[in-house]
Amino acid sequence: MVITITGLPGSGKSTIAKLLSEQLNISWYSMGDLRGKMARERNMTIDELNSLGETESFTDNEVDEYQTQLGNSGQSFVIDGRLSWYFIPNSFKVFLNVNNEIGSQRIFDSANEGKRSDEKHYTSSLEVQQVIERRIQSDIKRYKQYYGIDFMDPKQFDLVIDTSNKTTQEVLQEILSHIPS
């Protein structure tokens, strides 16, 4: 079984993926963490790496190849990443949506608690909201340019959940109740 988790920034992709892997006792992979590591190795923020990716495909290619290899490995796992569902088509595909203000507040809190070293220090959740809007536009541009896809089209997913007003346990239970046996 492979479960791919994608969604908007601040929707809880990594949190939910980690909890799912623990609940199901399978491995967890985070493409956000991998891209964050790539950014840090280049002394960049994740948003600077994304901007570079609009003209330099290597920023996506390395992660894309890694996901494809994982998908062909035959192992069971949970993976969170914007395009994991695309590179691992034989997976149970989950999209997590979130209200922009709520997602921005979550990122603001997480970044200022030092949980995300690939995020810059933000002065307000409004600043995060503006950064997130640019981040989503960069993702849309790159994914259309390189793959011809819209990563936010709900028809591509087996399950779409709005996490805005749900606890992590509620989201986790909803996913678990929809996973095919």
Side-chain angles (χ1 to χ4, degrees):
M1 164 194 333
V2 176
I3 302 169
T4 53
I5 309 282
T6 192
L8 297 179
S11 62
K13 296 177 299 297
S14 295
T15 300
I16 294 301
K18 181 180 180 200
L19 290 171
L20 267 174
S21 76
E22 291 170 357
Q23 180 79 29
L24 298 170
N25 198 30
I26 57 179
S27 298
W28 163 49
Y29 300 95
S30 173
M31 297 306 94
D33 286 352
L34 185 57
R35 287 185 56 77
K37 180 180 176 208
M38 289 173 66
R40 286 188 306 277
E41 287 172 350
R42 291 165 175 79
N43 293 316
M44 304 171 94
T45 66
I46 192 68
D47 294 305
E48 291 168 335
L49 183 71
N50 288 344
S51 292
L52 178 62
E54 291 177 15
T55 57
E56 299 289 333
S57 64
F58 81 88
T59 68
D60 287 291
N61 290 343
E62 291 177 25
V63 175
D64 300 345
E65 290 170 18
Y66 182 68
Q67 292 178 96
T68 300
Q69 289 173 358
L70 282 173
N72 292 328
S73 71
Q75 66 175 300
S76 293
F77 58 88
V78 178
I79 184 170
D80 68 273
R82 286 273 199 286
L83 295 182
S84 299
W85 60 273
Y86 179 76
F87 288 101
I88 309 173
N90 296 323
S91 62
F92 182 73
K93 301 167 193 70
V94 179
F95 185 93
L96 301 181
N97 206 349
V98 67
N99 169 284
N100 196 8
E101 290 176 21
I102 293 171
S104 297
Q105 186 64 51
R106 290 175 182 170
I107 292 170
F108 176 73
D109 293 342
S110 181
N112 289 338
E113 291 169 7
K115 294 179 182 174
R116 291 291 308 259
S117 59
D118 59 329
E119 294 277 2
K120 69 178 199 161
H121 178 79
Y122 298 107
T123 58
S124 70
S125 63
L126 180 59
E127 178 188 9
V128 177
Q129 198 170 344
Q130 294 165 345
V131 168
I132 292 309
E133 288 171 9
R134 286 191 303 270
R135 184 178 297 174
I136 292 170
Q137 290 309 309
S138 176
D139 288 347
I140 289 170
K141 179 180 180 178
R142 288 188 349 266
Y143 303 156
K144 282 207 185 274
Q145 175 182 340
Y146 297 134
Y147 316 108
I149 58 173
D150 175 2
F151 86 100
M152 294 180 16
D153 182 354
K155 292 181 276 186
Q156 302 170 125
F157 303 97
D158 300 306
L159 181 62
V160 176
I161 303 172
D162 187 333
T163 68
S164 300
N165 297 308
K166 294 185 179 195
T167 67
T168 54
Q169 284 304 311
E170 289 171 327
V171 174
L172 178 66
Q173 289 308 312
E174 189 168 344
I175 294 170
L176 288 170
S177 72
H178 284 87
I179 295 173
S181 319

